[in-house]
Amino acid sequence: MKLSESTVNVLKNFSGINQSLQFKSGNILRTISPMKTVYVEATVNENFSKEFALFDLNKLLAKISLYKDAELDFSDDRVVIATQDKKRSDYIKYCTAKVIVTPPEKQITLGSVDCSFTLTQEDLEWMRKSAGISGSPNFVFESDGEKIYFIATDVKDDSSDQSKIEIGASDKTFRVVMKVENFKMMDGTYDVEVSRRGMACFSNKNATIKYFIAIEAASSTFGEE
């Protein structure tokens, strides 16, 4: 099997969320952060024929990068990376899924949607940079019943810096607080749905990948239309 560039990019993104990964048979990859605040699922081009787990996903990606056109073979206890002529090869042993943090067997769903909006790549990229400069720990999505704002700040410190972008309109009032450290999405524009039950779903408009990210429920509020 050869991995497409898009699949390699998904795996790179996953490795920043959880260093380990359990592969299931089929074309859907799922991961969850060690603190279980970020859950991701992606549909990829390849169909994996078996279930296995790798303790260090970055090691696989680094090995693949050594090859111009790597061929992957998934045997009973290892993945073999080799050139087409087999003159060069590496292998990495699988680990047991019991020693890594894995997603629940049942796919996560959002449930009820209490507010929704679109977050463009341009706005997300700008806000990430601004939050990084200020050291802001929180992202806030806030609506006054007319306009929606994307804010970077520290919700526990009234004297902290604040960055703010108007990103849309809504006839609902809400204030959704999240942690900057959980925003580990791939580049792209996202359709966002939020549930007051404690989670937001970010669906990439140009790729089959979506992120379920915990909200700070104690700091978030949802009004009426």
Side-chain angles (χ1 to χ4, degrees):
M1 175 189 287
K2 292 180 181 178
L3 297 183
S4 63
E5 182 180 356
S6 60
T7 299
V8 170
N9 287 335
V10 167
L11 292 175
K12 288 178 179 178
N13 178 248
F14 276 26
S15 70
I17 296 167
N18 186 336
Q19 72 165 8
S20 307
L21 183 63
Q22 181 183 33
F23 291 77
K24 296 279 192 175
S25 58
N27 67 337
I28 296 177
L29 298 176
R30 302 189 300 142
T31 193
I32 195 167
S33 64
M35 297 299 292
K36 299 184 179 181
T37 53
V38 182
Y39 164 85
V40 195
E41 59 183 46
T43 302
V44 296
N45 299 322
E46 298 79 6
N47 264 289
F48 293 90
S49 59
K50 63 184 303 172
E51 180 178 323
F52 62 94
L54 293 176
F55 186 80
D56 190 347
L57 183 57
N58 276 313
K59 186 185 293 184
L60 174 67
L61 294 167
K63 290 290 188 180
I64 290 173
S65 71
L66 294 175
Y67 295 80
K68 185 176 181 180
D69 199 16
E71 292 269 4
L72 276 64
D73 179 53
F74 303 99
S75 64
D76 290 338
D77 67 343
R78 69 194 66 186
V79 54
V80 179
I81 308 108
T83 54
Q84 192 169 4
D85 60 13
K86 308 300 182 185
K87 289 184 177 181
R88 294 181 181 176
S89 67
D90 284 275
Y91 71 75
I92 299 172
K93 287 288 193 75
Y94 304 146
C95 71
T96 174
K98 294 179 181 179
V99 302
I100 64 176
V101 178
T102 60
E105 288 296 323
K106 187 177 180 180
Q107 288 185 311
I108 292 176
T109 57
L110 188 64
S112 62
V113 176
D114 294 292
C115 62
S116 60
F117 48 88
T118 297
L119 180 60
T120 67
Q121 178 176 335
E122 181 182 8
D123 287 344
L124 177 59
E125 183 178 358
W126 186 89
M127 193 61 84
R128 276 172 165 163
K129 291 178 179 177
S130 187
I133 293 169
S134 295
S136 301
N138 297 115
F139 282 146
V140 181
F141 297 97
E142 189 170 71
S143 169
D144 58 8
E146 294 182 2
K147 297 178 179 179
I148 303 173
Y149 299 96
F150 182 23
I151 301 164
T153 189
D154 183 345
V155 297
K156 295 181 179 180
D157 183 0
D158 290 339
S159 65
S160 64
D161 296 351
Q162 184 185 95
S163 306
K164 190 174 184 178
I165 309 173
E166 182 183 331
I167 62 170
S170 176
D171 57 2
K172 295 181 177 181
T173 59
F174 56 83
R175 185 173 189 256
V176 179
V177 180
M178 307 179 76
K179 289 184 177 180
V180 171
E181 65 187 34
N182 291 333
F183 274 63
K184 298 180 178 180
M185 295 95 76
M186 295 178 66
D187 288 344
T189 292
Y190 287 86
D191 288 327
V192 185
E193 296 180 321
V194 184
S195 171
R196 70 177 70 205
R197 294 179 180 179
M199 192 180 299
C201 178
F202 291 73
S203 300
N204 193 300
K205 291 176 72 71
N206 301 115
T208 51
I209 186 168
K210 54 185 176 182
Y211 301 77
F212 293 84
I213 303 175
I215 69 172
E216 301 297 289
S219 303
S220 301
T221 58
F222 297 87
E224 301 299 328
E225 292 186 9

